[in-house]
Amino acid sequence: MLPIIVVYSFVYLLLLSGSLFLYILARRLLIESRERKDRRAYQAMEADLLEVLAAADAVGAAREFARRHRSRPRVLKQVLVTYREALVGRALEPLKVIFEHTIRKRCLRELRSPWLSTRLQNVRLFVDFSRPEEIVHLVELLNDRPVVRLAALNALTGIASRDTLSIIFALFESEPRPNLYAYSNIFYTLGQRIEPFVRASLARPLSAGKLGLLVDMSGRLILRGLYPEVVRFAAHPDKELRARTARALGRMLVPASVRALSALAADPEPEVQAQAVRSLGSLKDWTTLPILARAIRSPSWSVRYNAGYALAAFGPVGILRLQGISRQDEDRFAADMAAMVLESVVLTGGA
């Protein structure tokens, strides 16, 4: 006969297994029942929404739709997300009215939901339905998971009016420690329309990190109209900002920047020198050939490297300079660098 403890253990495990099975079964039946109800509600909402879109008074019909279906926010969000992605222009106005009169406040709260899918669904609704004052909530999501971050960027790009751009730059300027990576994604995605806002921000007494990001964006987006604002940072006391200025000037390709870059090529910081000689190679001003020939003799490897490829960018004239440097024996480091660049140019066909 089995000990009583074994019998009790067996009964306990049997009851536990049975309870777990019943829980799983009940949960599955509940989910299936909810999904069936949601499908029926979705079909009803979709039929009503098509009538709204075809109505003569679409705005009035949208208000009536909102009154009738506001009690099913979960299904309503699915309908709005689907049709937001299918409609453009004025056809979106009825959807905006429905969103405004039903689930706007709920969606704002759920932007902070712990569930990734919930945050993502709500961000998608704000691509076309958000107000300028709600930009701050979308900017906060740029610290979220990559898929939510991408959706937030799309939303910010989709609503980039002058008012929303003003709010984005005001947030950037006022935050004591902004996420510079997130803001660089915003600015780059918005493109050349940010030029007047960057100009205004560059004139303000911001931190070197913020100014550096704005200078970098001026170069990456090739905002040549900002050249006067950018070039003045060539004399800034922060070496990182001077280096970013040198890089931006090389991307802008404004001929007048040769003077500033030539001065930066003699900067006391090797990081700044390296960026300056690289940008001089992009400008291809023949008067800077002696500067590059001196830079390839620098004690800093990065300066020698950039100077070598900057000389190669001049074509035959630069190649001849490199050949002469590679044959001299006064500075073997410069000779080695010139030889390496020449070999690379031969192997890549000058690319």
Side-chain angles (χ1 to χ4, degrees), residues 65-82:
F65 178 96
R67 185 193 62 78
R68 191 182 314 142
H69 294 293
R70 63 164 51 98
S71 60
R72 302 298 297 273
R74 185 176 63 255
V75 182
L76 185 57
K77 281 196 289 186
Q78 295 174 4
V79 173
L80 290 178
V81 167
T82 300

Side-chain angles (χ1 to χ4, degrees), residues 38-328:
D38 285 353
R39 279 196 296 271
R40 288 195 295 269
Y42 185 95
Q43 291 169 358
M45 283 188 194
E46 189 173 36
D48 289 349
L49 182 59
L50 291 174
E51 292 182 6
V52 169
L53 296 174
D57 181 14
V59 173
R63 291 196 185 98
E64 176 60 24
F65 178 96
R67 185 193 62 78
R68 191 182 314 142
H69 294 293
R70 63 164 51 98
S71 60
R72 302 298 297 273
R74 185 176 63 255
V75 182
L76 185 57
K77 281 196 289 186
Q78 295 174 4
V79 173
L80 290 178
V81 167
T82 300
Y83 278 83
R84 184 206 65 75
E85 294 174 349
L87 301 175
V88 294
R90 295 183 61 83
L92 284 169
E93 289 303 318
L95 299 188
K96 293 179 181 179
V97 172
I98 294 168
F99 181 74
E100 184 74 32
H101 287 79
T102 54
I103 57 175
R104 173 181 291 280
K105 293 181 180 178
R106 182 189 181 103
C107 289
L108 278 174
R109 290 195 305 271
E110 291 182 350
L111 286 176
R112 297 180 176 85
S113 169
W115 305 106
L116 175 64
S117 59
T118 302
R119 296 197 305 277
L120 182 60
Q121 185 184 54
N122 285 281
V123 171
R124 285 173 176 165
L125 285 168
F126 279 91
V127 171
D128 291 299
F129 301 153
S130 62
R131 301 171 181 172
E133 64 269 21
E134 293 163 352
I135 293 298
V136 62
H137 302 293
L138 297 176
V139 172
E140 289 173 358
L141 290 173
L142 294 172
N143 299 316
D144 209 309
R145 302 278 289 277
V147 65
V148 178
R149 192 159 62 234
L150 179 60
L153 278 172
N154 287 336
L156 289 167
T157 305
I159 56 176
S161 66
R162 188 170 185 86
D163 290 339
T164 56
L165 287 175
S166 297
I167 293 171
I168 290 171
F169 274 85
L171 286 170
F172 171 71
E173 292 175 9
S174 62
E175 283 191 57
R177 298 181 64 184
N179 184 330
L180 296 179
Y181 176 75
Y183 276 104
S184 70
N185 285 334
I186 297 176
F187 296 154
Y188 190 75
T189 304
L190 292 171
Q192 296 191 347
R193 67 187 114 173
I194 68 171
E195 181 171 335
F197 300 94
V198 175
R199 178 179 288 109
S201 294
L202 286 173
R204 296 190 174 100
L206 302 179
S207 67
K210 291 181 180 180
L211 291 172
L213 174 59
L214 295 173
V215 167
D216 207 35
M217 281 298 113
S218 303
R220 290 178 65 188
L221 296 172
I222 316 178
L223 304 177
R224 293 191 177 93
L226 295 179
Y227 168 76
E229 287 77 16
V230 171
V231 74
R232 68 188 179 89
F233 292 108
H236 196 276
D238 185 83
K239 71 173 182 179
E240 178 64 25
L241 184 50
R242 295 199 305 276
R244 288 190 169 200
T245 301
R247 182 166 60 235
L249 293 175
R251 288 169 172 169
M252 289 179 169
L253 297 178
V254 176
S257 61
V258 168
R259 182 176 179 180
L261 288 171
S262 298
L264 288 170
D267 194 274
E269 299 293 339
E271 298 93 331
V272 180
Q273 294 177 34
Q275 288 296 335
V277 296
R278 180 175 181 177
S279 294
L280 286 173
S282 300
L283 286 169
K284 299 183 180 65
D285 186 311
W286 284 29
T287 62
T288 63
L289 283 169
I291 296 174
L292 298 177
R294 286 195 300 272
I296 202 172
R297 300 171 183 270
S298 168
S300 169
W301 185 91
S302 59
V303 176
R304 294 199 304 275
Y305 180 86
N306 283 356
Y309 280 97
L311 284 168
F314 280 79
V317 175
I319 297 297
L320 288 173
R321 290 267 183 156
L322 286 170
Q323 287 174 342
I325 295 168
S326 68
R327 295 185 185 119
Q328 56 83 34

